[in-house]
């Protein structure tokens, strides 16, 4: 069964550094998403992406965040200058039209 | 704005007892409702979607538009049902975001 895959599974970075979280969505899906989950809190929407542009973004997704689909298979989330409060589990998801399928997540720890 | 409310953070039941995980939503249009499950250290997985009216692993959920609810039910809990359960709502349309509730941790006591 096809799956959304995310790399790395765990990333530790120093405050102020840039990080890129990578995702390979399911191949025939057209809609892509990033969510995050701070430890002990709910899953929060960050951004949706369709037809090579952002469809919707949340208040969390400020100028420090960007997304890209650099080639036909990858979907990346970049955090330009990480803050301590960016520490969370980041989930990528993709969708054909109905439900979203999620990756296993990348745990980002900012120290 | 769309919102999903799961009033219980933790629900503990004995094995074999009935389970009901509550979910209420607010949305002005016709939503698509889902239940996702997250087993320990695993990814979020789709459990149910309201449009297919299916039963997965013994769980069912009925959309009640009058009460704006989509409660998840199972008549007899199993130990392997222990997990985090998230109710989720999506506007119709492929690129629409999924909004999650805060989640309920189901603990099935042997």
């Amino acid at each position: 069964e096809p799956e959304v895959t995310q790399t790395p599974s765990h990333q530790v970075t120093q405050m102020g550094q840039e990080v890129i979280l990578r995702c390979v969505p399911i191949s025939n899906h057209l809609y892509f998403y990033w969510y995050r989950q701070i430890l002990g809190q709910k899953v929060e929407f960050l951004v949706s992406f369709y037809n090579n542009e952002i469809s919707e973004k949340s208040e969390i997704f400020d100028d420090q965040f960007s997304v890209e689909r650099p080639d036909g298979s990858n979907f990346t989330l970049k955090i330009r200058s990480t803050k301590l409060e960016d520490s969370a589990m980041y989930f990528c998801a993709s969708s054909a039209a109905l439900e979203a399928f999620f990756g296993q997540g990348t745990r980002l720890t900012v120290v | 704005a769309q919102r999903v409310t799961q009033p219980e953070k933790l629900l503990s039941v004995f094995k074999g007892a009935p389970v009901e995980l509550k979910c209420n939503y607010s949305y002005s249009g016709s939503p698509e409702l889902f239940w996702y499950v997250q087993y320990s250290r695993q990814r979020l997985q789709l459990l149910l979607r309201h449009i297919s009216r299916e039963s997965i692993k013994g769980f069912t959920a009925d959309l009640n538009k009058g009460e704006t609810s989509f409660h998840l039910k199972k008549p007899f809990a199993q130990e392997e049902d222990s997990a985090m359960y998230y109710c989720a709502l999506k506007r119709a349309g492929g690129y629409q975001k999924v909004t999650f509730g805060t989640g309920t941790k189901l603990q099935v006591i042997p």
Side-chain angles (χ1 to χ4, degrees):
Chain A
E1 188 175 320
E3 286 184 338
V4 176
T5 56
Q6 290 184 243
T7 53
S9 55
H10 191 187
Q11 171 108 35
V12 182
T13 189
Q14 287 203 319
M15 192 169 55
Q17 294 297 303
E18 174 184 287
V19 292
I20 297 176
L21 309 183
R22 300 178 193 282
C23 170
V24 179
I26 295 173
S27 63
N28 62 340
H29 286 184
L30 300 176
Y31 311 100
F32 314 112
Y33 313 84
W34 282 101
Y35 289 80
R36 79 170 186 192
Q37 185 178 30
I38 295 171
L39 188 64
Q41 298 185 26
K42 71 174 183 177
V43 179
E44 298 175 292
F45 170 76
L46 291 178
V47 66
S48 59
F49 191 86
Y50 168 69
N51 202 25
N52 282 319
E53 58 184 28
I54 290 173
S55 309
E56 189 174 356
K57 59 184 180 180
S58 72
E59 306 165 340
I60 304 166
F61 194 88
D62 61 23
D63 292 344
Q64 293 300 311
F65 290 87
S66 62
V67 289
E68 203 175 36
R69 191 152 158 81
D71 52 43
S73 58
N74 290 287
F75 180 51
T76 60
L77 175 69
K78 183 193 291 186
I79 309 175
R80 209 181 330 275
S81 176
T82 50
K83 303 188 280 284
L84 293 176
E85 53 265 37
D86 293 327
S87 294
M89 193 75 150
Y90 288 80
F91 292 103
C92 174
S94 70
S95 169
L98 293 174
E99 73 271 17
F101 291 83
F102 285 80
Q104 79 279 25
T106 293
R107 178 164 298 287
L108 176 65
T109 302
V110 182
V111 297
Chain B
Q2 57 199 60
R3 188 184 304 162
V4 178
T5 304
Q6 293 179 252
E8 302 139 328
K9 278 196 164 181
L10 172 66
L11 181 66
S12 296
V13 301
F14 285 101
K15 178 182 169 183
V19 174
E20 183 178 45
L21 300 172
K22 292 186 168 30
C23 172
N24 288 89
Y25 66 90
S26 64
Y27 176 59
S28 53
S30 287
E32 296 173 3
L33 275 297
F34 308 89
W35 276 98
Y36 282 84
V37 60
Q38 188 177 30
Y39 299 104
S40 180
R41 301 181 186 280
Q42 295 187 29
R43 71 185 68 204
L44 282 157
Q45 303 171 34
L46 178 70
L47 181 63
L48 282 179
R49 69 195 93 154
H50 90 270
I51 55 172
S52 48
R53 301 183 65 82
E54 57 201 337
S55 172
I56 304 289
K57 300 185 180 183
F59 284 97
T60 58
D62 288 319
L63 178 60
N64 185 324
K65 290 188 178 180
E67 295 182 359
T68 60
S69 68
F70 189 56
H71 303 325
L72 183 68
K73 299 178 185 179
K74 184 170 182 177
F76 308 105
Q78 306 294 318
E79 287 179 65
E80 55 265 30
D81 296 329
S82 294
M84 279 294 289
Y85 290 81
Y86 292 93
C87 183
L89 176 155
K90 178 176 170 291
R91 288 176 285 184
Y95 63 85
Q96 301 297 336
K97 67 181 180 185
V98 179
T99 299
F100 289 86
T102 47
T104 298
K105 183 173 182 177
L106 176 64
Q107 187 177 62
V108 180
I109 304 163

